[in-house]
Amino acid sequence: MTRRQIRGLGAAVLVSAFLTACSSEDAEGPGPQASTTTGSAPAAAFGEPETFADGLDAPWSIAFHGETPLVSERDSARILELDAGGNSREVGVIAGVSPGGEGGLLGIAVHQDYLYVYFTANGENRIERFEISGAPGELALGQAETILDGLASANYHNGGRIAFGPDGMLYATVGDAGSRDRAQGLDSMSGKILRMTPDGDVPQDNPFSGSRVYSYGHRNSQGIAWAEDGTMYASEFGQDTWDELNKIEGGGNYGWPEVEGIAGEDGFIDPLQQWSPDDASPSGIVIHDGTIYIANLRGERLRAVPLTDSETADEQFVDTYGRLRDVAIAPDGSLWILTNNTDGRGDPNPGDDRIIRVPLR
């Protein structure tokens, strides 16, 4: 197990670096060195990691139907269920998925015996749901029901993470789809975190009347999670300077494209932490027992941020499993890490992609 401890930015420290502009979620190339000061973030109490499942094809998201794990595959558009031994079975193939670039079958969530899916279709991103029937090992999906369509799509910056909050509402991260100015426009759903009812309607208590927009000024958020007190957090891909961890407030403006990272400018909410894309490219996140766990693609590491000291982080599994796309807490309380080395950008090892199961002590 590779482990390093870092401290996030607390005070502004100037750095200069040659920047290479990029338009993909975690493009290759030189980037800035994150300015940090060393600290002593508490190490996560991890047990011995083990491979729970392997042979997955460009997986993107993990969700649980009861105790049964479900996994989405971006390019094949398959939904898989896993048994107790990690063996996979195809539950269904989502019709209409158009994979390309970073698009395809992306985030999934389970709510009241329905599977919700976020995917790239022909010229748009959309959210659909399917009734789940059958017993574990024999699960099946019902007819597709559109929850929301018409979301802008592109080869890059599709967002794609969906999750149900503690308020029972469905939240979705929507990227700027390459049109950066849309992130500041409240008349567009691009570059936003959306909040809607399970049927896709606009909740009456949303921050902007008649709108699903919950927060804006996002470039490409791909992770959302809630602490026990209901506070919402999100991870976000920056352009070529800073990736971010944000504390999300309803109606908040997170700055893109006017600012990137910690700017200290009125009208914009600064991130809790920022990192060089070389060390991050954060995707899925989960919160458990007072710690935010963040899966990182280009950074090839799991980052653990304690809520009691959110400017610090502990890094685990650095350069151990390759690109990490998602992280989840299983019903047995273990931490599951989803690798993403077969998506065309990674360097897959035999057996990739896989789910790594880590006991939490």
Side-chain angles (χ1 to χ4, degrees):
M1 183 185 303
T2 304
R3 176 179 173 274
R4 286 182 284 169
Q5 293 182 320
I6 66 169
R7 185 170 180 87
L9 273 169
V13 180
L14 296 179
V15 295
S16 61
F18 179 78
L19 304 181
T20 299
C22 59
S23 59
S24 66
E25 68 175 21
D26 55 336
E28 300 303 322
Q33 294 300 309
S35 51
T36 63
T37 55
T38 58
S40 55
F46 287 171
E48 188 67 26
E50 62 180 1
T51 295
F52 176 77
D54 58 14
L56 304 174
D57 183 13
W60 213 92
S61 186
I62 303 171
F64 291 91
H65 174 54
E67 295 190 356
T68 301
L70 301 176
V71 177
S72 64
E73 291 186 335
R74 187 191 68 185
D75 298 339
S76 70
R78 296 195 304 167
I79 300 293
L80 305 177
E81 67 170 314
L82 305 177
D83 65 17
N87 302 299
S88 65
R89 171 186 171 271
E90 182 180 298
V91 176
V93 178
I94 304 302
V97 173
S98 297
E102 294 167 8
L105 178 58
L106 304 178
I108 59 175
V110 175
H111 181 68
Q112 295 183 349
D113 291 328
Y114 280 89
L115 175 69
Y116 288 73
V117 302
Y118 184 120
F119 66 92
T120 309
N122 233 349
E124 66 174 358
N125 285 311
R126 57 168 53 195
I127 300 172
E128 292 183 348
R129 71 178 177 188
F130 304 80
E131 188 172 10
I132 305 171
S133 62
E138 300 177 344
L139 296 182
L141 301 180
Q143 295 296 312
E145 180 182 353
T146 299
I147 298 300
L148 180 63
D149 58 9
L151 300 172
S153 66
N155 280 339
Y156 308 111
H157 312 170
N158 286 291
R161 192 69 60 187
I162 55 176
F164 279 87
D167 55 4
M169 297 296 165
L170 175 63
Y171 292 76
T173 68
V174 183
D176 68 10
S179 297
R180 51 196 287 163
D181 291 340
R182 293 177 180 171
Q184 288 293 316
L186 292 176
D187 58 346
S188 169
M189 288 188 286
S190 298
K192 310 295 191 300
I193 294 177
L194 306 181
R195 179 178 184 259
M196 66 200 85
T197 70
D199 296 326
D201 297 328
V202 178
Q204 292 185 354
D205 60 346
N206 265 11
F208 305 105
S209 179
S211 173
R212 296 178 182 84
V213 173
Y214 188 70
S215 62
Y216 64 110
H218 300 288
R219 180 176 178 268
N220 190 22
S221 292
Q222 281 192 5
I224 46 178
W226 290 263
E228 289 186 5
D229 64 1
T231 302
M232 183 179 180
Y233 297 85
S235 62
E236 182 165 342
F237 291 93
Q239 174 72 16
D240 50 14
T241 308
W242 298 119
D243 293 336
E244 301 176 356
L245 173 65
N246 287 297
K247 179 179 176 180
I248 301 301
E249 301 174 9
N253 184 348
Y254 289 81
W256 177 255
E258 302 301 322
V259 298
E260 183 179 355
I262 297 172
E265 292 191 15
D266 291 342
F268 303 128
I269 300 175
D270 280 341
L272 298 174
Q273 289 199 40
Q274 62 184 21
W275 310 281
S276 163
D278 280 337
D279 300 324
S281 299
S283 192
I285 70 175
V286 71
I287 299 176
H288 177 70
D289 197 23
T291 299
I292 307 173
Y293 297 98
I294 307 170
N296 292 273
L297 291 159
R298 185 174 169 187
E300 298 190 355
R301 69 198 66 190
L302 182 75
R303 188 169 273 115
V305 177
L307 292 175
T308 55
D309 192 2
S310 60
E311 291 183 350
T312 66
D314 179 57
E315 295 180 351
Q316 302 280 345
F317 311 120
V318 180
D319 301 327
T320 302
Y321 299 115
R323 294 160 53 84
L324 307 182
R325 172 65 73 179
D326 198 14
V327 60
I329 296 295
D332 67 0
S334 62
L335 186 73
W336 283 21
I337 303 169
L338 184 66
T339 71
N340 206 186
N341 297 313
T342 59
D343 68 344
R345 290 182 173 159
D347 185 15
N349 291 310
D352 277 343
D353 272 305
R354 61 190 72 226
I355 292 173
I356 307 300
R357 180 184 179 275
V358 185
L360 296 179
R361 296 171 180 163

